[in-house]
Amino acid sequence: RGGPEVYTMVLPLGDGVKCRRTKEEIEDWMVSCGCRGDTCLIALGGDAIQDLCGLVASQYCMGIPMIAVPTTLLSMLECSGPRETQLNAAEGKKIIGCFVKPTMAFIDLRTLTKINPRRLKAGMAYCIRWGIVYDRELFELIDENAHMLLERDVSILAR
């Protein structure tokens, strides 16, 4: 054997997982598995999972590495640099959080061919906003190829 031990925890989809209760469940589960400071957290999922796991990784054992494996366009864009990781509380959304950059990210654009159109459009809206504010080239690429992007042409998304 001699390889690393791998533990898997499956969480429900959606923004509802971004709460203190779920964060505590993950941390308790990691403790019960014997995870220590040499643990690496791998976050496979969309924006909510990336937020939640980023916050857990930033605080567990004073910070452990996190590998992001985003599955939505929005989470792919956000894992490319420091991201806001945040939890929701009864008093409101985005109250608890920090900035964290994944140690590493693995992005497979083919996953975008499987997500629902609403999530793809949400990611596109984020890209458009980013392009308007920061990156004229990106905005022009989207403007010229919007129909292909919405048809999930991975060759356009790879640019």
Side-chain angles (χ1 to χ4, degrees), residues 9-25:
M9 181 181 211
V10 178
L11 299 168
L13 293 173
D15 208 45
V17 300
K18 290 174 35 173
C19 64
R20 288 185 281 190
R21 180 182 40 78
T22 307
K23 179 180 176 285
E24 186 176 283
E25 288 173 10

Side-chain angles (χ1 to χ4, degrees), residues 59-93:
Q59 295 178 346
Y60 192 82
C61 289
M62 303 300 286
I64 59 172
M66 183 189 104
I67 297 174
V69 186
T71 59
T72 63
L73 183 55
L74 179 57
S75 62
M76 289 176 185
L77 294 167
E78 289 191 337
C79 80
S80 64
R83 65 178 286 133
E84 296 174 10
T85 62
Q86 59 232 348
L87 298 182
N88 301 327
E91 296 77 16
K93 295 180 90 171

Side-chain angles (χ1 to χ4, degrees), residues 1-133:
R1 298 195 124 188
E5 293 184 46
V6 177
Y7 303 98
T8 305
M9 181 181 211
V10 178
L11 299 168
L13 293 173
D15 208 45
V17 300
K18 290 174 35 173
C19 64
R20 288 185 281 190
R21 180 182 40 78
T22 307
K23 179 180 176 285
E24 186 176 283
E25 288 173 10
I26 294 170
E27 291 164 338
D28 290 348
W29 174 78
M30 290 175 70
V31 168
S32 73
C33 291
C35 297
R36 300 286 179 257
D38 60 352
T39 297
C40 179
L41 182 61
I42 300 173
L44 172 64
D47 194 52
I49 295 297
Q50 298 301 320
D51 274 359
L52 179 62
C53 291
L55 189 57
V56 169
S58 73
Q59 295 178 346
Y60 192 82
C61 289
M62 303 300 286
I64 59 172
M66 183 189 104
I67 297 174
V69 186
T71 59
T72 63
L73 183 55
L74 179 57
S75 62
M76 289 176 185
L77 294 167
E78 289 191 337
C79 80
S80 64
R83 65 178 286 133
E84 296 174 10
T85 62
Q86 59 232 348
L87 298 182
N88 301 327
E91 296 77 16
K93 295 180 90 171
K94 301 181 179 183
I95 291 180
I96 302 160
C98 66
F99 286 94
V100 68
K101 186 174 193 299
T103 307
M104 189 178 297
F106 291 101
I107 296 174
D108 184 350
L109 293 173
R110 293 173 296 181
T111 60
L112 299 177
T113 64
K114 305 291 183 204
I115 63 172
N116 72 44
R118 185 177 146 267
R119 290 194 186 278
L120 182 62
K121 288 176 184 174
M124 290 291 296
Y126 187 87
C127 286
I128 291 167
R129 182 181 75 175
W130 183 269
I132 290 170
V133 176

